[in-house]
Amino acid sequence: MVIRLAQAKRVRFARFSSARYQQLNGTHVPVASHADIVNSMLKVGYASRLDAMLTVGPWRSDLLTALVEGYLRPDLRPTDYFLALEPSERVSMTFLLAQAFTHWAASHHLSVPILLHVVGAAPNWTLAAMPATAKLGAGPVKDKSRPDFIGVEPGGYHVFESKGRSYQPGAPIKSATAAARCTKDALAQVSRIATINGAAPITRTAAVWILRPHELRGYLTDPPRAAFAYDLSFDLRLALLKYYRLILDARTGLGSVYRGSFVRLPFGKRLLLVVDAKLLSLLEALEKPSGDPRPILDHLERRAHVYVRLRRLAYRRPDLSFGLDGTGIQLLP
């Protein structure tokens, strides 16, 4: 079963002002498993992470699975092995884990099905007419500082900046103090975005994750809006193809199994990829130069209630994880 630890594992949401997200404000006990974090680890980050898996082979997914299982306890607190890593290695691993936690929180708490890395989306940046003015509580806005992620949902776009910090036993700094420092920088980065493909983002969120002995803490903050600096545009069709590229490449492998309205695709030694069969057919249509991304977003919206039921099922099956993007994984022994 998935373990809940009220004191050792907490995610705090603060200053979300829209009616849709106000109920998030406060402290939550996350319910997640190794499979959830592996699922997010496979999907989020620079495009090069997918390129590595598709270029050198599915063993890359086995490596990421082992990373999650080796560095996080079943309740997602860091293991002693993780905390004993040489500092520079621990920094890089904390970076990867924080990205995965942000992807998981965006899906499970904000109901954002797709998270694209800003670099992977290959956007065009146009300086807005108004100079950058930081969000409430942000640090200084730097000219070259930009956020990590674009969230995509049928109703619009979101902006996320992910930061992670880890501390060994005896570190004098408190988790809340460390998070406050990171949040200032993260808010300055999300303050850079005025519009995405012509629309103002629904949220601009700083996501900070602190790992220390016996603790996992998450801090997600979306203060009131101010004036922003850049209008960002990108090709949604190409970005969605890049996001789902792992699925599209895995479909060519042997052993694909249809079960009801879902397809299971073997990937590596430890994983089965699970995908909504209708979504897979829509992605295949999207591969054509004339492909339209809107049917995919519409399908995700129509099927969201099914994906939520599958996610609830996975709460009782720590080897399963399913997301609002219509895909999931099953960890094999």
Side-chain angles (χ1 to χ4, degrees):
M1 66 179 181
V2 180
I3 300 172
R4 296 174 173 86
L5 290 180
Q7 297 302 317
K9 209 174 55 166
R10 292 187 292 182
V11 179
R12 180 176 179 269
F13 291 81
R15 298 156 79 180
F16 282 78
S17 56
S18 70
R20 176 179 172 184
Y21 293 122
Q22 277 183 340
Q23 74 278 6
L24 283 177
N25 289 322
T27 300
H28 302 255
V29 179
V31 181
S33 65
H34 278 164
D36 289 320
I37 306 308
V38 172
N39 192 17
S40 291
M41 186 78 78
L42 291 170
K43 296 174 180 176
V44 79
Y46 284 102
S48 60
R49 190 178 301 174
L50 286 180
D51 289 341
M53 284 188 282
L54 297 169
T55 301
V56 303
W59 66 264
R60 172 72 176 177
S61 67
D62 298 333
L63 182 150
L64 294 175
T65 301
L67 184 154
V68 171
E69 293 178 336
Y71 292 158
L72 298 176
R73 303 175 191 268
D75 57 33
L76 303 188
R77 293 177 300 153
T79 61
D80 293 340
Y81 176 63
F82 171 79
L83 294 169
L85 290 174
E86 191 275 332
S88 59
E89 182 179 2
R90 183 159 43 83
V91 167
S92 63
M93 294 301 101
T94 302
F95 170 80
L96 293 177
L97 290 170
Q99 286 195 334
F101 290 143
T102 298
H103 180 279
W104 168 83
S107 175
H108 283 247
H109 288 283
L110 277 73
S111 298
V112 177
I114 295 170
L115 214 60
L116 306 169
H117 201 284
V118 165
V119 174
N124 296 312
W125 300 84
T126 304
L127 192 64
M130 295 293 293
T133 302
K135 296 190 78 172
L136 187 63
V141 178
K142 302 175 183 177
D143 287 341
K144 296 183 179 180
S145 178
R146 295 174 181 176
D148 285 333
F149 301 115
I150 302 166
V152 181
E153 62 159 290
Y157 299 98
H158 301 254
V159 181
F160 292 87
E161 169 63 20
S162 172
K163 292 191 180 296
R165 297 291 185 270
S166 58
Y167 299 95
Q168 291 180 315
I173 189 169
K174 295 182 178 180
S175 296
T177 303
R181 294 176 182 174
C182 291
T183 296
K184 287 185 177 181
D185 292 337
L187 289 177
Q189 287 170 263
V190 299
S191 294
R192 301 296 290 165
I193 305 299
T195 65
I196 300 175
N197 287 343
I202 299 168
T203 65
R204 299 173 176 90
T205 300
V208 177
W209 303 90
I210 307 295
L211 294 93
R212 58 190 312 161
H214 312 299
E215 283 187 357
L216 167 65
R217 295 282 190 268
Y219 301 83
L220 283 83
T221 309
D222 179 33
R225 301 173 181 176
F228 302 93
Y230 281 100
D231 297 317
L232 181 150
S233 62
F234 67 98
D235 188 321
L236 182 57
R237 172 183 167 271
L238 294 179
L240 289 179
L241 287 175
K242 184 172 289 186
Y243 180 83
Y244 286 107
R245 186 178 168 195
L246 192 66
I247 297 293
L248 289 169
D249 281 53
R251 76 192 150 159
T252 61
L254 298 176
S256 300
V257 177
Y258 282 78
R259 287 195 172 181
S261 58
F262 291 87
V263 186
R264 299 201 310 174
L265 307 169
F267 193 81
K269 297 178 180 178
R270 296 284 315 280
L271 290 179
L272 285 175
L273 304 178
V274 184
V275 58
D276 182 333
K278 176 62 175 177
L279 173 65
L280 185 57
S281 68
L282 291 172
L283 289 170
E284 290 169 347
L286 190 67
E287 289 183 293
K288 299 176 181 178
S290 60
D292 181 3
R294 177 51 55 181
I296 290 179
L297 298 182
D298 291 342
H299 179 73
L300 295 180
E301 187 173 32
R302 285 193 302 269
R303 295 275 284 175
H305 67 286
V306 177
Y307 304 154
V308 169
R309 287 205 303 268
L310 289 172
R311 191 168 67 187
R312 289 172 180 165
L313 171 64
Y315 289 163
R316 302 189 295 274
R317 289 278 305 275
D319 61 322
L320 295 177
S321 175
F322 206 87
L324 297 180
D325 60 358
T327 72
I329 65 165
Q330 181 179 359
L331 292 179
L332 302 177

